[in-house]
């Protein structure tokens, strides 16, 4: 027995209230210049003959299939889809949830409900249906035939948002790679002219393997070649990132990665900790390109902080694979600051989604501090519940600065300590060595004598070798 349920999301007001600002908008005008107004698509210019589905998301109806969990869970997922659609530049007109044991293999929601959806689309004047899941090519085609407008799935929507927000050369290459990987198995069902894909011959049989089949194979070959080229380019760019990581390791500079759900306030926290001046915007996936900045603990120890792309439920596998070189900043860090929006309606669900991605990128074993952000907007009872659930956590507000000093003090104790403890009398002419101890080691005591500065410190092997002639 199936049923459908409408979810009011027409004007987006509730979403705007829920996804509230967290920090100053540092280059909002530049970001607005990248937003879709109308007619922007994910057309791939280098593969001119590929039949693709242009994403011109303007007036949309959302549809989700509720297969497990509670009704509240299903509605929360659809509200997130609405936020994604609005981030892509859409106006959400209506949303429908379909209760089923599993998605229909033909039309995703079943033929009867697909006809009801067509009536909703016609009455609202929508031009696109967005499904809250990844649809098979046949499901896309069959549902589109019924509703008579474009049908886009969640994966294509997220890819489109990433395509809009990528700014660096590496980010653009990673997004294009993900798009190609998504497109490759969907070539046959895409485009309006199925006869071109089937080739000549009205009677079917061998005649169907004509010029149309050759064209599909040609398109596939071109995409595979493009995928190989993009993989090589990304691998080359990743070498530079690895070189920088090795330099930091040689200098024994601890690395902290900021990870978390999209729009949880990661960039705002980075700005608070480092004064980096990174873009802060109330939008999903505002940050795609990793930002690495230097910072200091209250004790004077230097460390680097990397902001990373936000995660989301059901983050497309193609994106995780394409962004793997970027996400290595998380997997190879010494400590993860897992930022959670404490004011969100389902912070526990977001925590679980982020940890699922951390596990997929082999970062589950990295020490983690859970940072409950947006404390100024969160319910105190919810915060108390979250702190009980996550004992190794701290509450902050990147917007007001609440708890930032405590977070920095916690970092001072949690960051890995240098391995070698030594005592040395450093001449006053070697102030450079003292500066290195302060920046990269842990100064335990420092006494100024007539002949130099007596220090007791913990340092890495390289700095210990440089201080060897002054030790006793």
């Amino acid at each position: 027995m199936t049923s459908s349920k409408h979810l009011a999301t027409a004007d987006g007001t509730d979403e705007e209230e829920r996804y509230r600002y967290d920090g100053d908008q540092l280059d909002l005008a530049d970001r607005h210049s990248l937003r879709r107004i109308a007619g922007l698509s994910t057309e791939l210019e280098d593969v001119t003959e590929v039949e693709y589905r242009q994403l011109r998301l303007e007036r949309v109806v959302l549809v989700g299939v509720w297969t497990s969990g509670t009704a509240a869970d299903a509605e929360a997922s659809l509200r997130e889809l609405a936020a994604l659609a609005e981030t892509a530049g859409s106006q959400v007109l209506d949303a429908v949830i379909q209760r089923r044991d599993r998605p229909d293999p033909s039309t995703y929601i079943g033929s009867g409900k697909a006809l009801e959806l067509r009536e909703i689309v016609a009455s609202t004047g929508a031009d696109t249906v967005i499904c809250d899941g990844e649809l098979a090519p046949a499901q896309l085609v069959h549902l589109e035939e019924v509703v008579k407008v474009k049908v886009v799935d969640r994966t294509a929507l997220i890819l489109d948002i990433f395509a809009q927000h990528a700014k660096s050369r590496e980010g653009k290459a990673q997004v294009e790679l993900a798009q190609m990987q998504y497109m490759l198995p969907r070539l046959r069902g895409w485009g309006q002219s199925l006869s071109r894909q089937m080739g000549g011959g009205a009677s079917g049989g061998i005649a169907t393997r004509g010029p149309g089949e050759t064209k599909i194979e040609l398109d596939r070959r071109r995409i595979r070649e493009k995928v190989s080229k993009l993989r090589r380019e990304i691998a080359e760019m990743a070498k530079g990132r690895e070189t920088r990581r090795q330099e930091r390791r040689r200098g024994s500079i601890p690395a902290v990665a900021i990870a978390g759900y999209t729009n949880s306030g990661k960039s705002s926290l980075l700005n608070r900790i480092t004064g980096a001046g990174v873009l802060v915007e109330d939008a999903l996936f505002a940050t795609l390109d990793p930002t690495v900045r230097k910072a200091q603990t209250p004790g004077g120890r230097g460390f680097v902080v990397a902001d990373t792309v936000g995660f989301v439920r059901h983050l497309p596998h193609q994106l995780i694979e394409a962004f793997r070189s970027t996400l290595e900043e998380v997997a190879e860090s010494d400590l993860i600051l897992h930022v959670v929006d404490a004011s969100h309606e389902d912070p526990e669900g977001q925590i679980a989604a982020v940890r699922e991605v951390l596990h997929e990128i082999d970062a589950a074993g990295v020490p983690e501090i859970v940072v409950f952000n947006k404390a100024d907007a969160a319910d105190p009872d919810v915060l108390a519940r979250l702190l009980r659930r996550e004992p190794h956590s701290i509450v902050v507000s990147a917007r007001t600065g609440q708890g930032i000093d405590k977070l920095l003090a916690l970092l001072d104790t949690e960051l890995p300590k240098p391995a070698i403890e030594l005592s040395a009398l450093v001449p006053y002419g070697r102030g450079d060595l003292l500066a290195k101890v302060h920046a990269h080691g842990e100064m335990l005591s420092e006494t100024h004598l007539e002949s130099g500065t007596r220090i007791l410190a913990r340092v890495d092997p390289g700095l210990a070798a440089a201080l060897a002639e002054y030790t006793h």
Side-chain angles (χ1 to χ4, degrees), residues 117-172:
L117 179 60
R118 181 171 69 183
E119 294 177 2
I120 294 171
V121 167
S123 64
T124 57
D127 55 35
T128 303
V129 168
I130 304 179
C131 298
D132 193 18
E134 183 168 329
L135 272 61
Q139 289 175 311
L140 285 168
V141 172
H142 292 156
L143 186 56
E144 197 168 72
E145 287 175 349
V146 176
V147 298
K148 306 302 183 185
V149 295
K150 294 186 298 294
V151 175
V152 175
D153 65 11
R154 180 187 179 94
T155 298
L157 175 62
I158 294 176
L159 289 174
D160 192 59
I161 295 170
F162 270 58
Q164 292 182 58
H165 285 191
K167 298 173 72 174
S168 70
R169 176 169 167 259
E170 183 176 13
K172 291 177 180 178

Side-chain angles (χ1 to χ4, degrees), residues 395-429:
V395 175
V396 306
S397 170
R399 189 179 70 83
T400 66
Q402 174 189 341
I404 298 299
D405 290 342
K406 291 182 179 179
L407 174 60
L408 288 171
L410 182 59
L411 284 174
D412 213 349
T413 62
E414 293 289 326
L415 288 174
K417 305 294 184 184
I420 301 172
E421 183 174 323
L422 55 76
S423 173
L425 181 62
V426 183
Y428 286 119

Side-chain angles (χ1 to χ4, degrees), residues 9 45 82 168 184 293 331 343 350 361 375 429 455 462 465:
T9 58
E45 297 176 358
S168 70
L184 187 59
R293 293 289 185 271
S343 67
Q350 293 193 347
I361 63 173
I455 65 170

Side-chain angles (χ1 to χ4, degrees), residues 369-372 386-395 410:
I369 298 174
V370 179
V371 181
F372 292 115
L386 293 172
L387 289 171
R388 287 194 301 271
R389 171 192 168 97
E390 299 290 342
H392 197 53
S393 60
I394 190 168
V395 175
L410 182 59

